Amino acid sequence: MIRRYVEQLLNIYNYIDGLIVTDQNGYIEYFATYRSDVNRLKEKNILHKHITEVYPELTDETSSIMRVLRTGEPIDNEYQTLHTYEGQSIRAINTTMPIKSNNEIIGAVEVSRYIDRPYQRQDITLETKEYQADKGLYTVEDIITMNPQMEDIKQRIPMIADTDSSVLIYGETGTGKELVAQSIHTSSKRAGKRFVSQNCAAIPENLLESILFGTKKGSYTGAENKPGLFEIANGGTLFLDEINSMEMNVQAKILKAIEDKQVVRLGGYEPIKTDVKVISAVNEKPLDCVREGKLREDLFYRLSVVQVNIPPLRERKEDILYMTEKFIESYNRSMHRNILGLDERVEEIFRNHGWPGNVRELKNVIEGAFNVASTRFILKKDLPEYLSHPMHFDPVSMEAPTNTGQGLDFLFEGKTLNQALSEMEEKMIRNALRNAKSHAEAARSLGITKQSLNYKLTKYKIK
């Protein structure tokens, strides 16, 4: 259970420097640092040691983890200077939270931001999502398609890229929204500047504002002068994915930043001018997001000066086998294999599958098959169980197989209603997790809250 909390926290790993998880007695169950230049501790050396053994100068009274374990109350943004048993001194801003199960404290998790010189690491927090022009960004040529609607998007991208107008991309999860966003950037006059990408769903509300707009020293305990994404992307492109998951008060500030072409750092008062092309994306229909209160109406109109709608893979049947061929060529090169193609039965499965995870699902299925394929062709046995099972039931489209002549009866034979419903629910959850980047995204695709998803993960013992 504790490691499940770790996985959820790792969704925001770009914005923390260290993470430590202990059990209810303060013994370390998990440790990670993303700044080994600042913190040289290694998990293998400290796992299962007590927190006060790793940091000998701490006591049960001074350790934030031990205090949280004792009181059950979280501690936010506490400045600490920590001295390791190896003699290293680390300055950090720590947020510590209890981990509870059935209202009992079973552990604690502490996330850290290490403190170093202002501006020293303005690029480090974006290490996987900030790109320079020569770092392999996608271009229009990387959009693989035979679909007329996608071809039309490819034709429009150079025209869209030629202006500074905001762009809103709509597409289901896995359709390639960032591919299109990067292609717009690399086709533009900004191609030599930064492309900065941020998934808004991956960051807690209390961190997102400071990440977007930056902080001024003293704005909160331990805060340093630090630029936000608008400043870092200055002169280039800022891509905000899943903007419909952002809190309304932050949306209002983004609207003002775009309209005024300037930002004010948290705790500051001096406006900082910015020149940024803003591309945003939603995985739900934009007008539905507005009607349901997920997206401010005024922000929608400001972001959707140009709107690009990416069709799901199930509506691009001609692309399924064409993209499969391209993925096979790519994985043959990268994995040093010589796979010739798909078995005929696999081709049929691919044509009939609903591909709820879209292009990402297709690509992952091909990669998985490459790992286990023992012949020159990908066979049915090389596919994931949910695809290769002869009685395959697509839990997203809710379409029964057409070749059994039994409708849905075979699913429920010999089972009670509760058993059948539970089995179907578990399949849907596993499928959503397989095709989502995070638990939050999976919960949204299922139409339930993250809390409900966590309960069901425990119920079905899904790790």
Side-chain angles (χ1 to χ4, degrees), residues 9 66 90 108 154 156 216 224 233 266 282 312 329 386 440:
L9 284 163
M66 296 308 295
I90 302 166
K154 290 179 68 172
R156 291 170 58 199
K216 186 173 177 60
E224 298 289 331
L266 237 63
V282 292
E329 291 175 2
Y386 77 96

Side-chain angles (χ1 to χ4, degrees), residues 349-350 353 355 361 365 380 383-390 392:
I349 290 171
F350 276 28
H353 182 52
W355 299 107
E361 181 188 3
V365 166
K380 188 164 70 169
L383 302 179
E385 184 178 357
Y386 77 96
L387 271 176
S388 61
H389 196 283
H392 172 59

Side-chain angles (χ1 to χ4, degrees), residues 16 35 43-44 50 72-73 91 107 162 215 223 226 231 252 257 282 290-291 293 295 332 365 399 423 431:
I16 60 177
R35 293 292 308 278
E43 184 183 46
K44 64 180 181 180
H50 197 271
E73 297 296 325
R91 294 186 304 143
D162 200 37
T215 55
K226 185 172 178 59
E231 288 181 69
V282 292
V290 173
R291 280 192 292 266
L295 186 64
N332 273 332
V365 166
E399 293 176 356
E423 184 177 315
N431 193 62

